[in-house]
Amino acid sequence: MDVGGTDYFWNDSSLPKLPNVQITLLNLAELEVHSQGLIGKTGDGTNMKEFADNEFDLVFSNSVIEHLYTWENQVKMAQEIQRVGKKYYVQTPNKYFPIEAHYALPFAQNMPKSLLFTILTKTRLSRLQKWDPAYAQQYLDEIRLLDEQEMKTLFPDCHIYREKWAGLTKSITAHNL
């Protein structure tokens, strides 16, 4: 299972084309799937009641858990991933990396939200564009970055993989592989 996954993410991978491999893409909204080995399902990563305990050999999620608005929702998603999957691999940008991944701005995660909103909507500093105010506010509301200790709390039996860039931890992956 890929929680929050997309068809295009898997386009260049040979994994879905292998015999006996099927990847369920779980998303809040219906998702068109055109690739072999992929199945789209509509559902909520914080409440996967439609799936049995240990239904999936592996649950994968790439840069989704930080989009859940609150710590409570992040806890629910982590619990559900561990419940439905025998193994898991969950990646998120590091809260302390100097360039905030969603805005591509240095130290945006440390700015007051009102200042960041102004930068996003009034300048082209973030991704060389002015953001639509509604879109900017949506991101400001939904993004809750995680650090390594929080990932260990969410996934108590995990191993941590640190993706490095220039000696700094860019992203954190919790896994039990």
Side-chain angles (χ1 to χ4, degrees), residues 83-146:
R83 181 184 69 77
V84 303
K86 296 171 188 164
K87 300 287 182 181
Y88 58 84
Y89 186 96
V90 180
Q91 183 273 355
T92 190
N94 179 15
K95 177 179 187 175
Y96 298 115
F97 189 69
I99 306 296
E100 203 289 332
H102 301 90
Y103 310 111
L105 290 171
F107 304 106
Q109 65 272 36
N110 299 322
M111 294 179 191
K113 286 189 176 186
S114 58
L115 173 59
L116 185 52
F117 180 83
T118 300
I119 291 169
L120 294 174
T121 59
K122 304 293 185 202
T123 75
R124 295 183 185 279
L125 294 174
S126 174
R127 305 195 180 278
L128 303 176
Q129 64 182 359
K130 287 184 185 179
W131 290 43
D132 172 86
Y135 188 70
Q137 190 59 57
Q138 172 68 33
Y139 254 63
L140 290 169
D141 291 343
E142 79 179 47
I143 302 296
R144 186 187 176 284
L145 296 174
L146 295 155

Side-chain angles (χ1 to χ4, degrees), residues 3-137:
V3 180
T6 60
D7 185 75
Y8 69 82
F9 178 86
W10 294 99
N11 276 347
D12 294 331
S13 174
S14 60
L15 187 62
K17 297 167 186 68
L18 293 174
N20 302 318
V21 171
Q22 184 177 35
I23 300 171
T24 300
L25 306 177
L26 183 70
N27 286 280
L28 289 171
E30 188 173 342
L31 181 71
E32 283 193 38
V33 177
H34 304 287
S35 300
Q36 172 187 339
L38 301 179
I39 296 172
K41 295 276 187 183
T42 304
D44 182 348
T46 66
N47 183 3
M48 298 188 239
K49 61 186 177 297
E50 64 270 36
F51 303 111
D53 293 359
N54 295 315
E55 183 167 337
F56 298 94
D57 292 322
L58 175 66
V59 179
F60 170 84
S61 188
N62 184 46
S63 293
V64 173
I65 199 163
E66 75 275 8
H67 287 268
L68 299 180
Y69 295 88
T70 67
W71 172 252
E72 292 75 23
N73 285 340
Q74 291 169 327
V75 167
K76 289 177 188 177
M77 181 177 167
Q79 289 171 340
E80 283 295 271
I81 285 171
Q82 292 168 90
R83 181 184 69 77
V84 303
K86 296 171 188 164
K87 300 287 182 181
Y88 58 84
Y89 186 96
V90 180
Q91 183 273 355
T92 190
N94 179 15
K95 177 179 187 175
Y96 298 115
F97 189 69
I99 306 296
E100 203 289 332
H102 301 90
Y103 310 111
L105 290 171
F107 304 106
Q109 65 272 36
N110 299 322
M111 294 179 191
K113 286 189 176 186
S114 58
L115 173 59
L116 185 52
F117 180 83
T118 300
I119 291 169
L120 294 174
T121 59
K122 304 293 185 202
T123 75
R124 295 183 185 279
L125 294 174
S126 174
R127 305 195 180 278
L128 303 176
Q129 64 182 359
K130 287 184 185 179
W131 290 43
D132 172 86
Y135 188 70
Q137 190 59 57

